[in-house]
Amino acid sequence: MEKFFVGLVLGMVGGAVIVANNCKIRNLVKKNQEDLMAKAEQYIDEKLEDIENKKNGMQTDET
């Protein structure tokens, strides 16, 4: 799922930059890319944290 988000963001940004020759639009695209990447990273971090919490919970139950 995470790879999908990264690919989607890069594809959208790449297509927008190719189409956009205007400096203002390019800056807007870069800003939106940074926002989307931050959200994707936050999502991935939350999922990894959930996995770690589940893993640690299983280890404490076994001991």
Side-chain angles (χ1 to χ4, degrees):
M1 189 69 156
E2 291 82 17
K3 290 180 183 179
F4 173 76
F5 284 125
V6 173
L8 178 67
V9 169
L10 292 177
M12 288 176 12
V13 171
V17 169
I18 290 171
V19 172
N21 288 326
N22 189 334
C23 185
K24 288 181 183 179
I25 293 175
R26 255 188 254 141
N27 288 336
L28 179 63
V29 168
K30 286 179 185 178
K31 181 183 177 291
N32 286 337
Q33 175 190 16
E34 291 170 359
D35 292 344
L36 287 172
M37 289 301 291
K39 288 179 184 178
E41 288 175 6
Q42 182 181 7
Y43 173 78
I44 292 169
D45 290 342
E46 287 174 2
K47 290 296 180 182
L48 290 173
E49 194 172 306
D50 288 344
I51 291 170
E52 284 294 318
N53 288 339
K54 289 178 183 177
K55 183 179 177 183
N56 290 338
M58 292 176 90
Q59 288 177 351
T60 56
D61 290 344
E62 291 176 0
T63 58

